Amino acid sequence: MIGRPEPAQSGWRALTPDITPLLDIIFIVLVFLMLTANIPLQSLEVDLPKTDSEALNSVQDNKAMTINLLAGDPAWALQGEKYADWESFKPVLLERLPALKEAELVLASDREVTVDNMMKLLAFLQEHEIQATQILMEEGR
């Protein structure tokens, strides 16, 4: 049986639904969507060579220049000369830019080197249109 509202609850307040829980759910969903939105990541394209593994393992010594990425301090080396940080290493690379473009470039990295050091070097090489011909890596254990 349908009852009549009491006189204390009469009026428009007794007939309208309480939308507070609905608003709470909407705000929770809104916050969830804002936190899980896709943020564009910066990336650098790297073209890997399509050769057999024997050719990758053999390093030709004629006109080859080696850049080492080392774990710890010093972090960089060019032809055996070590440099503590990127700010001191970058001018040396700029100074030897013509030789780097002519030579066959070999990048050798320690296993513990951070990705940002490798990305700095690859971005520099791409900016100056230098083709990295060989990247030496240790085999997984």
Side-chain angles (χ1 to χ4, degrees):
M1 191 171 183
I2 299 175
R4 287 180 49 189
E6 297 296 323
Q9 296 178 349
S10 63
W12 63 274
R13 288 188 189 260
L15 297 176
T16 58
D18 185 17
I19 62 168
T20 305
L22 178 66
L23 291 176
D24 288 344
I25 291 174
I26 289 174
F27 284 127
I28 289 171
V29 170
L30 181 65
V31 168
F32 175 76
L33 291 175
M34 288 174 55
L35 291 176
T36 59
N38 288 337
I39 298 171
L41 299 175
Q42 295 180 353
S43 63
L44 176 68
E45 279 190 37
V46 176
D47 295 328
L48 297 176
K50 296 179 181 175
T51 61
D52 59 344
S53 61
E54 292 174 9
L56 290 176
N57 288 334
S58 65
V59 177
Q60 298 176 356
D61 289 332
N62 56 347
K63 297 183 183 179
M65 292 189 78
T66 304
I67 297 177
N68 295 83
L69 288 94
L70 308 170
D73 193 32
W76 307 90
L78 177 65
Q79 295 295 93
E81 294 179 43
K82 297 180 180 180
Y83 301 92
D85 56 4
W86 178 250
E87 287 74 28
S88 62
F89 185 58
K90 187 175 178 181
V92 174
L93 288 177
L94 289 171
E95 183 179 300
R96 297 188 185 178
L97 199 59
L100 287 172
K101 287 185 178 183
E102 297 275 328
E104 183 174 332
L105 189 59
V106 178
L107 304 179
S109 175
D110 284 345
R111 193 179 289 241
E112 290 83 21
V113 171
T114 58
V115 174
D116 59 332
N117 283 349
M118 180 64 89
M119 295 305 291
K120 282 181 192 177
L121 181 60
L122 292 175
F124 176 85
L125 295 175
Q126 186 178 27
E127 178 182 336
H128 295 286
E129 298 177 358
I130 298 173
Q131 301 283 329
T133 56
Q134 295 184 8
I135 299 177
L136 300 179
M137 298 181 297
E138 293 179 15
E139 288 188 26
R141 295 179 190 172

